[in-house]
Amino acid sequence: MAGLMAGFGLYTHAVVRGIPASLAKEALRMGSQSEVDLAGARREHEAYVEVLKTRLGLEVVELPADESFPDCVFVEDAAVVCGDTALITRPGAESRRGETEIMKKALMDLNLNIVEMTDEKATLDGGDVLFTGREFFVGLSKRTNQRGAEILADAFKDYAVSTVPVEHGLHLKSFCSMGGPGLIVIGSSEPAQKALKTMQQMSDHRYDKLTVADDLAANCVYMNLPNKGHVLLHCTSEEWPESATVFEKLKDHMLIPLSNGEKVKLDGALTCCSVLINKKANI
């Protein structure tokens, strides 16, 4: 099995997308019927993009919102990028399949090697894909199936790919994410802990874990950036007080709390809103 990817967490570019007005009323949702404050969601997203751009110094490609795709701000589901390869997915929700077109163009413009998931039996949302720097875990969920996982394995042959049943929540990353090299942040619910146990059993590597009280708070964005070191975008203490204090244990990380209270009503998490890329300089 491959060792830890050189430069795990190092990113130079991010692709994000604007929030359409249709998000508030028409975006897909599993449980919550809470009313979405569109202006609030846009403020949250602006703050998120501003952190990527200004505080972290990434080159941010901002794609325009499209009213015909209410969920389009959740760009993570449209592509999986690792190294210089981009897999354009086939999202599990039919209403979201058209979101991949503009993403494909943006990633082509960044000179990535494009692989397209064209098999009509396959579905895969990027929110079900956890890349640890050593291997991929793919959640088999309401949105992602075995065939989708197989095509991902074919696209990224350098890495082992294991599948994990997602019995609760929308995606695998609805209750877990990477908090650093070899560190999985995981929710405390029984389904989350069961999924972690599956991942540990399938892997040759022993991962450390950071358990947070709330499953949704386990979704963070980890980066390792020049002049910044370990960076973690995570939930705020206003939204998830018990979970937010757990991140303070990560003494070596630059911790950046970000509000996500509106998009979470639509099952959206912090990783959902960007596709991160490490683009090597053209020499």
Side-chain angles (χ1 to χ4, degrees):
M1 191 175 80
L4 184 68
M5 173 195 214
F8 176 63
L10 174 60
Y11 300 108
T12 57
H13 290 65
V15 180
V16 300
R17 196 165 184 184
I19 292 184
S22 56
L23 173 98
K25 297 275 189 274
E26 296 170 43
L28 301 169
R29 52 170 76 193
M30 282 186 70
S32 164
Q33 293 305 315
S34 306
E35 194 167 324
V36 174
D37 173 357
L38 182 64
R42 284 178 168 157
R43 281 194 299 274
E44 284 173 359
H45 192 55
E46 281 163 19
Y48 177 94
V49 173
E50 190 61 23
V51 163
L52 297 178
K53 218 189 290 192
T54 307
R55 191 151 174 202
L56 301 180
L58 299 187
E59 291 278 335
V60 178
V61 178
E62 296 187 63
L63 304 176
D66 186 330
E67 292 299 335
S68 55
F69 296 116
D71 296 277
C72 66
V73 66
F74 304 125
V75 288
E76 172 181 57
D77 292 323
V80 177
V81 177
C82 183
D84 54 10
T85 298
L87 173 65
I88 306 301
T89 67
R90 191 167 180 275
E94 206 167 328
S95 62
R96 299 195 60 192
R97 304 238 165 105
E99 294 174 29
T100 58
E101 270 314 300
I102 194 170
M103 176 60 71
K104 180 172 83 170
K105 185 179 184 314
L107 297 176
M108 285 174 81
D109 289 348
L110 289 169
N111 296 319
L112 293 175
N113 300 322
I114 304 291
V115 179
E116 286 192 76
M117 191 174 282
T118 53
D119 186 330
E120 291 189 358
K121 292 191 176 69
T123 60
L124 184 119
D125 277 13
D128 277 315
V129 179
L130 181 70
F131 178 60
T132 71
R134 296 173 181 275
E135 61 194 313
F136 285 95
F137 293 110
V138 179
L140 299 182
S141 70
K142 293 176 180 69
R143 300 285 175 84
T144 296
N145 65 17
Q146 182 69 35
R147 185 70 191 118
E150 287 165 5
I151 293 171
L152 180 133
D154 205 44
F156 302 110
K157 288 192 174 74
D158 290 348
Y159 296 99
V161 175
S162 304
T163 56
V164 184
V166 175
E167 295 171 1
H168 182 74
L170 181 63
H171 289 132
L172 178 63
K173 285 191 290 196
S174 298
F175 52 74
C176 71
S177 62
M178 296 308 293
L183 176 66
I184 295 176
V185 184
I186 187 80
S188 61
S189 74
E190 195 179 329
Q193 291 293 317
K194 190 175 170 185
L196 177 67
K197 195 172 179 184
T198 302
M199 291 190 271
Q200 288 171 326
Q201 286 169 343
M202 288 182 161
S203 179
D204 297 340
H205 180 70
R206 186 172 166 75
Y207 291 98
D208 293 321
K209 68 172 180 174
L210 184 71
T211 303
V212 295
D214 309 283
D215 281 8
L216 288 165
N219 182 284
C220 323
V221 180
Y222 168 73
M223 302 183 209
N224 187 355
L225 302 176
N227 308 319
K228 302 266 190 315
H230 300 292
V231 176
L232 197 70
L233 313 185
H234 65 85
C235 65
T236 65
S237 54
E238 288 76 25
E239 285 159 7
W240 308 106
E242 206 179 329
S243 293
T245 57
V246 175
F247 295 110
E248 290 164 19
K249 293 178 184 174
L250 300 174
K251 302 293 184 197
D252 295 338
H253 286 51
M254 177 196 283
L255 298 172
I256 304 178
L258 277 171
S259 178
N260 194 47
E262 293 307 316
K263 286 179 295 207
V264 83
K265 295 172 184 174
L266 305 165
D267 311 298
L270 292 175
T271 62
C272 298
C273 298
S274 57
V275 172
L276 300 174
I277 298 146
N278 179 19
K279 192 165 153 45
K280 294 172 180 61
N282 294 326
I283 299 168

